Amino acid sequence: GAVVSQHPSWVICKSGTSVKIECRSLDFQATTMFWYRQFPKQSLMLMATSNEGSKATYEQGVEKDKFLINHASLTLSTLTVTSAHPEDSSFYICSANPREEQYFGPGTRLTVT
Amino acid sequence: GDSVTQMEGPVTLSEEAFLTINCTYTATGYPSLFWYVQYPGEGLQLLLKATKADDKGSNKGFEATYRKETTSFHLEKGSVQVSDSAVYFCALLIRGAQKLVFGQGTRLTINP
């Protein structure tokens, strides 16, 4: 099956700083990737759809200036949490679907202190 | 709109018990249906899928049948193991769309 990786797997940062999370498709090209956020003991919330070479599409209620998405190549999408605050602490997961099946990255746990 | 409803958890069973996690959906199109599993601290893994009515997806002893008449895709396993403890998500994908719609997840704990 297709492999999606994320880096880092966990990160701790101070309030007010920015954090970048990478999502890579290792054995396929992905023109579209998805970013999800998962709160403890809750389901996944789709944040945005990342489109290679164009602007991301954000879901309603997600601040695009807060969560910057860049999809600069067919194998890499990045999510930057700008001016992070403790309420941004969460588990962030990316996915891609080379066929009619989505493959998920292992997730990145962000803790903002 | 499209939505998925799962039985609320948490679900706690003893090892070798029979498992059913209910999942029903509403969809404007003709969806493919999925079950994903999330082990503690990890991302989601596809457990099984079905792409059309009456299809049965199966993997690792788990099964689910796509029932169009009842708009359901219930997950079953005849004899659960401690290693099956995880959160299970039912999801749908509309043909031609790319976004998955997830249920709220069901946390399963299996006691030895």
Side-chain angles (χ1 to χ4, degrees):
Chain A
V3 179
V4 176
S5 71
Q6 281 184 241
H7 177 80
S9 55
W10 60 270
V11 58
I12 301 173
C13 71
K14 292 187 176 181
S15 187
T17 61
S18 295
V19 175
K20 181 184 286 187
I21 302 170
E22 294 184 346
C23 176
R24 292 182 185 274
S25 56
L26 297 186
D27 51 0
F28 65 96
Q29 294 182 331
T31 56
T32 302
M33 290 183 175
F34 302 90
W35 286 96
Y36 295 84
R37 182 173 181 177
Q38 185 180 29
F39 292 99
K41 299 184 179 180
Q42 294 189 23
S43 189
L44 280 75
M45 180 191 78
L46 179 65
M47 300 174 64
T49 302
S50 172
N51 304 298
E52 189 269 334
S54 64
K55 291 183 179 180
T57 304
Y58 290 82
E59 296 298 305
Q60 191 172 10
V62 178
E63 300 175 61
K64 61 181 180 181
D65 295 330
K66 172 77 170 174
F67 299 99
L68 299 179
I69 291 174
N70 185 1
H71 196 149
S73 78
L74 289 171
T75 59
L76 174 65
S77 175
T78 60
L79 168 68
T80 301
V81 182
T82 63
S83 187
H85 290 283
E87 57 265 30
D88 298 324
S89 298
S90 193
F91 196 52
Y92 293 88
I93 304 174
C94 71
S95 74
N97 57 338
R99 297 170 287 280
E100 197 186 72
E101 182 176 319
Q102 285 208 7
Y103 293 89
F104 288 82
T108 297
R109 183 162 303 284
L110 169 64
T111 301
V112 184
T113 61
Chain B
D2 303 322
S3 66
V4 176
T5 302
Q6 292 179 233
M7 65 185 288
E8 286 195 28
V11 174
T12 302
L13 296 172
S14 297
E15 204 164 21
E16 299 184 1
F18 183 86
L19 168 71
T20 300
I21 300 178
N22 290 335
C23 171
T24 57
Y25 67 90
T26 58
T28 53
Y30 191 37
S32 294
L33 302 173
F34 304 84
W35 276 100
Y36 285 87
V37 58
Q38 185 179 32
Y39 296 102
E42 299 183 12
L44 273 69
Q45 302 174 27
L46 178 65
L47 180 59
L48 53 84
K49 68 176 182 179
T51 58
K52 61 183 186 295
D54 299 325
D55 268 2
K56 176 186 282 188
S58 61
N59 186 26
K60 299 181 181 180
F62 290 90
E63 293 183 340
T65 301
Y66 190 143
R67 301 287 188 198
K68 188 178 178 183
E69 62 276 14
T70 55
T71 62
S72 65
F73 192 54
H74 304 322
L75 182 68
E76 296 182 337
K77 186 173 185 180
S79 177
V80 292
Q81 306 300 314
V82 173
S83 57
D84 294 326
S85 298
V87 181
Y88 292 81
F89 293 93
C90 185
L92 66 82
L93 180 70
I94 300 296
R95 296 277 174 87
Q98 296 189 69
K99 295 191 292 187
L100 277 170
V101 177
F102 284 94
Q104 67 268 41
T106 302
R107 182 174 298 276
L108 173 67
T109 301
I110 306 301
N111 294 319

